[in-house]
Amino acid sequence: PQTNFQTADYFPGVVGDEVPRLSDIRVPIKASNILPLAYHLHQDAKHRVQMTGLYAAPGEVVRIQAPMNALGQGIEVRVGIHDEQYDIWPIQQRFPRVLSRFQLKSESLEVANPFGGAILFLIPVGLDLGEIEMNISGAVAAPSFFANQQIQTTVDAWENIKNTRVPWAQMVGQK
């Protein structure tokens, strides 16, 4: 069953029905966040964000299979990118909170967001699992350009996906 808010049609937007929902996509995750403590204090960061290039359509369930060694390590799955708290603003033009967070505590996890959103992982400070692999089904490929150590998007791949009817694009570099 699908549960989405009608306002998702306006922000962040709909995912076209013609956009294929993916099955058994293997996503490499750098599950290490061992930068010097001074870096984290300066950045006020409790985690490192790991983009996936995948998007959850509004109200649709996405299934994530995680390896055992990742469970109970403080890794979070987030659907949606906006974590600002708009409920403190005197005038609001949209819902005050439009993301969902899920703790990675079991091998199989279902995530969703009535607004939809980019699927990403939050890797806590001090975790050092190296590279792990998540298996994701039910998401769509977001227009994404990766230029980092894990993934390199080719110009041809970018040309094929950049105009997809998914309302959110991602660009990921080295930092």
Side-chain angles (χ1 to χ4, degrees):
Q2 182 173 316
T3 305
N4 64 306
F5 289 141
Q6 195 170 21
T7 58
D9 293 353
Y10 306 101
F11 182 85
V14 298
V15 172
D17 289 336
E18 76 283 359
V19 179
R21 279 41 178 183
L22 305 172
S23 293
D24 297 321
I25 300 300
R26 295 172 189 223
V27 179
I29 302 294
K30 183 180 175 190
S32 294
N33 189 3
I34 52 173
L35 292 171
L37 180 60
Y39 173 84
H40 294 292
L41 292 174
H42 174 70
Q43 299 293 323
D44 191 28
K46 296 183 177 113
H47 56 263
R48 184 180 56 73
V49 175
Q50 172 80 48
M51 304 299 279
T52 64
L54 299 175
Y55 191 88
E60 294 184 20
V61 173
V62 173
R63 289 166 187 77
I64 298 172
Q65 293 293 123
M68 288 294 291
N69 66 333
L71 307 181
Q73 299 289 334
I75 297 173
E76 281 188 22
V77 180
R78 189 160 82 182
V79 180
I81 196 111
H82 288 277
D83 61 358
E84 298 89 356
Q85 296 182 20
Y86 287 103
D87 53 351
I88 61 172
W89 291 18
I91 298 173
Q92 297 178 21
Q93 300 294 322
R94 66 169 173 93
F95 273 73
R97 296 180 191 205
V98 293
L99 69 84
S100 300
R101 291 178 127 159
F102 306 86
Q103 287 289 324
L104 195 60
K105 293 182 178 179
S106 64
E107 280 183 275
S108 183
L109 178 65
E110 291 186 341
V111 301
N113 184 320
F115 297 98
I119 299 169
L120 45 105
F121 290 86
L122 305 179
I123 310 301
V125 171
L127 188 64
D128 191 14
L129 297 179
E131 188 171 294
I132 60 174
E133 190 174 87
M134 301 289 180
N135 191 302
I136 301 177
S137 294
V140 298
S144 303
F145 190 90
F146 287 87
N148 61 26
Q149 295 169 343
Q150 292 171 286
I151 305 170
Q152 295 286 322
T153 302
T154 65
V155 173
D156 287 341
W158 175 246
E159 288 297 324
N160 286 334
I161 197 168
K162 71 180 184 181
N163 294 318
T164 301
R165 285 195 48 213
V166 175
W168 203 264
Q170 302 174 25
M171 296 198 159
V172 180
Q174 293 292 353
K175 295 186 179 190

